[in-house]
Amino acid sequence: MATANSDEDEYEEWLVESIRLYNDLHAFELQDPTRVIEWTGEKTVCVAGYEIGKRIEILELQLPQKLYAKENQGLCPERDFKVQHGCLSDQPVWSLKHVPNTSLLLTSGPASWSLQVWQIAADDSDVIKPLSPIHTENGGENLWHRIDTICTRIPCVLHGSKVNNVRVTELESNKHLYVLGLNSSSTISNLQYLDCNTFLASCVNGQMYLVDIREEQRGGTTLEAPLRHGDQWCACLQSREQDASDTGHMIASLSSSGRVELTDLRNLSTPMKAARCKVSKAHTGREFMCITWAPFLEDCLAISGVDGTVQVYDTKSWNVSGIEVQPLFVHKGHAIEGRSEDGNIPEVTTHVWHPWKPRALLSAATDGSLHVWDWVDCKSAC
């Protein structure tokens, strides 16, 4: 068990080291911890409480001006996120998505029979208003509908908690435009649009389905990757901005043991690259696993939820061997700042990349901390 003095020394060492490691580092405290951070604009994000059995807040926050100014602002712990809009919800929020080019939000939580639809009010009001919900199948006590949205002529939502209840629903009419229709009860870990006709469904057991919804008379076209035994998995698909080559979109999959596999979208059965990331053996929780591709750094990705840190990796040199690799950068702020007197550290609940700052991320943890950080690529600097 760590002593108070050793914790203070580690914190002071980290603060000194941070001057070299970060262009910017800002620490905030939310009233309730969040497991969602969703961009609603270049300067605004939505967060929401996730604890069961209490009324929670859904908040749209505007970043402090210094966090979207062009010049670096340095290390500056502060509490001046500005609440733009907000509301209270009786449902805990475990998934939250903004519908692009609209003022609509969609949320879901455990043991719910519906997706909640919200509208961010106009500038003269600070309210997030509830709209008519979208009725769904109840996935189970600890299951919830994963959500994704895409900018189309008619606002739609892709959602599902298990493979056999994945569907596309039109928001205005509540009409199901597409039902996946596969006879599988595998739990969904992530749903992600590739374009308005194609999406990736990844499962906790490692299975992945690439679905083309255009061939409706045949129930759509589906490519399937085999399940992977033993671990829990989550996955993330590269965006079009990242994929300027002719090699196709890459899927990054993270396992609960810290293994990352990179798979070409055109061949789901065989990973092209694999590596084992640094994972704390003392960390046992896996419910917050998250993997994301950097929007503007080629071949870079970030992982969290496998310990109290956020780790950034450069995958250029990876091969199929699956050997242990060193991270390009590790954000330890939540683990060091939030360590309790008994030595327990908070878990990182989620992270997202900044929409236009290449090395900037936001991350949240179970202690209610929300960090915004712009890391230095020390290898490139050297």
Side-chain angles (χ1 to χ4, degrees):
M1 182 178 296
T3 64
N5 288 336
S6 64
D7 288 347
E8 291 176 3
D9 291 343
E10 185 179 3
Y11 178 68
E12 291 178 1
E13 290 175 3
W14 177 72
L15 281 180
V16 173
E17 189 181 38
S18 295
I19 298 175
R20 178 178 62 87
L21 296 178
Y22 296 91
N23 290 318
D24 288 292
L25 174 60
H26 306 266
F28 306 90
E29 294 295 328
L30 301 173
Q31 181 172 335
D32 296 304
T34 183
R35 61 188 298 162
V36 294
I37 305 173
E38 174 74 357
W39 288 97
T40 55
E42 286 194 346
K43 303 175 183 178
T44 52
V45 295
C46 265
V47 298
Y50 64 83
E51 295 177 302
I52 299 173
K54 60 181 292 187
R55 298 197 80 189
I56 58 95
E57 288 184 318
I58 302 174
L59 301 174
E60 184 187 44
L61 306 175
Q62 179 176 305
L63 275 67
Q65 183 176 0
K66 60 183 61 178
L67 294 181
Y68 53 83
K70 297 300 181 182
E71 68 275 5
N72 291 332
Q73 299 294 323
L75 310 179
C76 186
E78 56 182 36
R79 299 172 183 268
D80 56 353
F81 263 116
K82 181 181 178 182
V83 177
Q84 294 287 93
H85 300 89
C87 67
L88 291 173
S89 171
D90 294 324
Q91 302 281 346
V93 173
W94 288 19
S95 289
L96 185 152
K97 286 291 181 180
H98 172 241
V99 182
N101 299 331
T102 75
S103 58
L104 300 177
L105 300 173
L106 292 151
T107 64
S108 69
S112 175
W113 289 90
S114 63
L115 302 181
Q116 304 301 312
V117 184
W118 309 85
Q119 184 170 42
I120 301 172
D123 292 338
D124 58 349
S125 173
D126 60 0
V127 175
I128 298 176
K129 300 183 296 184
L131 303 179
S132 298
I134 296 174
H135 298 292
T136 64
E137 296 180 19
N138 186 350
E141 182 178 354
N142 294 315
L143 298 181
W144 70 102
H145 276 239
R146 269 48 173 200
I147 306 170
D148 197 19
T149 59
I150 196 170
C151 181
T152 58
R153 184 177 59 86
I154 303 174
C156 299
V157 56
L158 168 66
H159 61 97
S161 60
K162 297 181 179 180
V163 172
N164 56 19
N165 64 26
V166 171
R167 57 200 61 193
V168 177
T169 303
E170 185 180 279
L171 293 184
E172 185 175 340
S173 66
N174 217 330
K175 177 184 177 182
H176 298 315
L177 303 181
Y178 175 80
V179 178
L180 181 54
L182 294 178
N183 187 24
S184 170
S185 59
S186 297
T187 301
I188 295 293
S189 63
N190 192 37
L191 292 170
Q192 190 172 357
Y193 273 113
L194 176 64
D195 55 44
C196 61
N197 296 309
T198 314
F199 67 85
L200 177 73
S202 54
C203 302
V204 171
N205 62 11
Q207 285 181 302
M208 294 185 292
Y209 301 89
L210 177 62
V211 182
D212 188 330
I213 68 175
R214 284 171 289 194
E215 299 185 31
E216 295 184 13
Q217 70 276 14
R218 298 196 312 174
T221 301
T222 305
L223 298 177
E224 181 179 350
L227 63 85
R228 288 167 280 191
H229 296 282
D231 290 338
Q232 297 181 25
W233 292 82
C234 65
C236 178
L237 180 66
Q238 275 183 318
S239 69
R240 288 194 177 278
E241 290 81 359
Q242 299 162 309
D243 185 36
S245 67
D246 294 329
T247 58
H249 293 263
M250 294 290 289
I251 305 166
S253 301
L254 170 66
S255 80
S256 52
S257 63
R259 181 178 174 87
V260 173
E261 295 182 355
L262 306 183
T263 308
D264 192 309
L265 196 62
R266 298 168 299 184
N267 181 13
L268 299 184
S269 61
T270 306
M272 294 183 64
K273 296 182 178 182
R276 188 164 298 281
C277 299
K278 305 286 286 186
V279 175
S280 171
K281 294 181 179 179
H283 186 82
T284 57
R286 293 293 183 264
E287 63 175 311
F288 301 121
M289 285 197 312
C290 181
I291 184 168
T292 58
W293 286 102
F296 300 107
L297 299 177
E298 187 178 358
D299 298 317
C300 279
L301 55 79
I303 67 170
S304 64
V306 292
D307 60 13
T309 68
V310 183
Q311 304 174 23
V312 179
Y313 288 88
D314 185 348
T315 68
K316 286 188 183 72
S317 62
W318 291 11
N319 53 37
V320 296
S321 64
I323 62 173
E324 185 170 279
V325 292
Q326 296 298 319
L328 189 63
F329 187 85
V330 180
H331 177 60
K332 303 177 182 177
H334 297 286
I336 293 176
E337 285 192 335
R339 181 173 294 169
S340 62
E341 293 182 358
D342 59 5
N344 292 327
I345 62 174
E347 297 179 47
V348 175
T349 56
T350 190
H351 71 266
V352 296
W353 291 84
H354 195 282
W356 51 269
K357 284 190 173 184
R359 292 187 175 85
L361 295 94
L362 283 75
S363 55
T366 52
D367 63 345
S369 58
L370 177 64
H371 290 182
V372 188
W373 41 285
D374 189 339
W375 54 280
V376 174
D377 185 351
C378 295
K379 291 183 180 180
S380 296
C382 292

